[in-house]
Structures are given as structure tokens and as C-alpha cells.
Amino acid sequence: MKVQNIRKTSTRQAIVEEFIELLKHKKIEKVTIKDITEQANINRATFYAHFEDKFQLFDEMTKDSATEKLNKHTKDIYTWDKKQVENLFQAVFEYLQQVKDSCPYSYQNLFPLLRMKMLDALKIHLQLCFQLNEFNDIKEFNILLYSRILYDATELLVVEKTNLSQKKIIEEVSLLIFNK
């Protein structure tokens, strides 16, 4: 039984690694299951035994990475202040920059897929910062808004749609959020 699990794990890992390699050279829309199976030296049935399609494969690859980046930068501290905004911004920046660097041909098509993962992770983190014991519509709205401000400001920097420095963007985001 262990041999089968090891084989399944190594095959799955090979699929993931070859998919990542393909994304370095092609847009996600252009990557086919045939490309993945040829690169991983497996047949289509083996691919489909592990994943429904390339989007489920992508989803599996990125499942926990947003939360892991946030936890790494915030060290599981749940305060709500300018330092936390800076930490969260840095986490989102690293997350997006890593994808941009790893997948130069497809990062713009991947960002919308990653957006929801990061927004969900930010929402959960901010709920802990605000210590929502009971759901308050205004607090919930603010959390959703702050999450989007942080994500969108960071994405503007990563895709080079602004000439502002990272430090200046963090200052501006803090001003928007804290009105100071």
C-alpha cells in the first residue's frame, strides 16, 4: 500500500512541477493537458486520476499559499495599525511578485484567479484583527473594503501601473484606511 501512495504522490508532484514549468513559458490558456502529460511523461488518464482539469491543478497548487504568506509576514499577530497594513501589503506583494517572476507569460491571466484566494485570506486575517465575535455589517463591509484596497494597491505596484514607491503606496493606503 505504501508503494502505491508514494507513486501517487510522486506522480502528482511531477504534474505540478511540469505545469509550473509550462507556465513559465506559456499563458495558462495555451497550456493543454497534452502539454502537461507529455512533460510529466504520463498519460491523460493518469492526469485525470489526479485533477479534473488544469484549473483544478492550479487551484490545488495555490490553495494555502495566500494564507501562508500572510502568516509569514504578520507572525500571527492580529492588531490593526499601520505596521499591520505594511506587513499585509508586503505579504501580498511577495505573493504576486513571485507569480509574476515565475510565470512572466501568464501572470496577468493568473492574477484574477489568485485575487479571490488572497482576498479570502485577507478577510479571515482582518476578521481576527477586528475580533469579530458578532457580525456587524459595518465592520464586515470595512473588512471587505480594506482587503480590496490592500490587494489592488499592491497589484498596481506589481504590474507597474503606478510610479509611486512601495513606501509611498503604503503611506497612501494607511491614510485611506486610518484617515490620518
Side-chain angles (χ1 to χ4, degrees):
M1 190 71 148
K2 285 187 177 183
V3 173
Q4 186 178 17
N5 288 340
I6 291 170
R7 182 178 294 150
K8 186 175 182 178
T9 302
S10 65
T11 300
R12 188 178 187 86
Q13 187 60 35
I15 294 169
V16 169
E17 288 172 5
E18 295 307 330
F19 185 57
I20 291 169
E21 195 59 37
L22 286 163
L23 289 175
K24 291 179 182 179
H25 307 286
K26 288 179 149 183
K27 294 181 179 183
I28 193 169
E29 298 81 29
K30 301 284 185 188
V31 174
T32 64
I33 302 304
K34 182 180 180 184
D35 293 335
I36 299 167
T37 57
E38 285 178 357
Q39 288 294 117
N41 202 22
I42 59 169
N43 62 40
R44 291 177 73 83
T46 301
F47 176 87
Y48 288 115
H50 293 277
F51 303 101
E52 288 179 25
D53 57 24
K54 65 184 173 186
F55 295 104
Q56 187 201 13
L57 167 56
F58 182 78
D59 193 52
E60 290 286 322
M61 289 170 32
T62 59
K63 184 171 31 178
D64 298 322
S65 58
T67 301
E68 288 169 5
K69 281 286 186 211
L70 293 180
N71 291 342
K72 174 185 167 201
H73 282 276
T74 62
K75 297 175 181 59
D76 293 326
I77 296 172
Y78 300 102
T79 58
W80 186 237
D81 54 22
K82 289 181 181 182
K83 182 64 179 163
Q84 187 72 312
V85 167
E86 184 178 335
N87 291 338
L88 293 170
F89 185 95
Q90 188 60 38
V92 177
F93 178 80
E94 258 184 43
Y95 182 74
L96 295 177
Q97 190 65 48
Q98 182 178 351
V99 172
K100 181 181 177 186
D101 292 343
S102 298
C103 307
Y105 296 101
S106 60
Y107 75 90
Q108 290 178 325
N109 299 332
L110 298 175
F111 278 10
L113 302 172
L114 297 171
R115 177 184 172 81
M116 290 314 299
K117 291 183 185 321
M118 184 52 81
L119 288 175
D120 288 344
L122 283 165
K123 178 184 172 189
I124 291 166
H125 187 86
L126 292 178
Q127 285 173 334
L128 292 169
C129 289
F130 283 87
Q131 299 174 354
L132 288 183
N133 298 333
E134 58 186 65
F135 280 92
N136 172 317
D137 289 340
I138 297 296
K139 282 185 181 178
E140 186 69 20
F141 176 77
N142 287 339
I143 286 170
L144 294 172
L145 194 59
Y146 298 158
S147 299
R148 282 158 176 77
I149 289 170
L150 280 162
Y151 181 90
D152 288 340
T154 308
E155 186 177 299
L156 288 171
L157 180 63
V158 173
V159 299
E160 301 171 7
K161 295 280 185 184
T162 180
N163 292 328
L164 297 178
S165 69
Q166 184 171 337
K167 182 179 178 185
K168 183 64 176 167
I169 293 171
I170 292 169
E171 287 174 15
E172 291 300 314
V173 166
S174 293
L175 281 171
L176 279 171
I177 291 173
F178 297 110
N179 295 319
K180 296 179 185 175

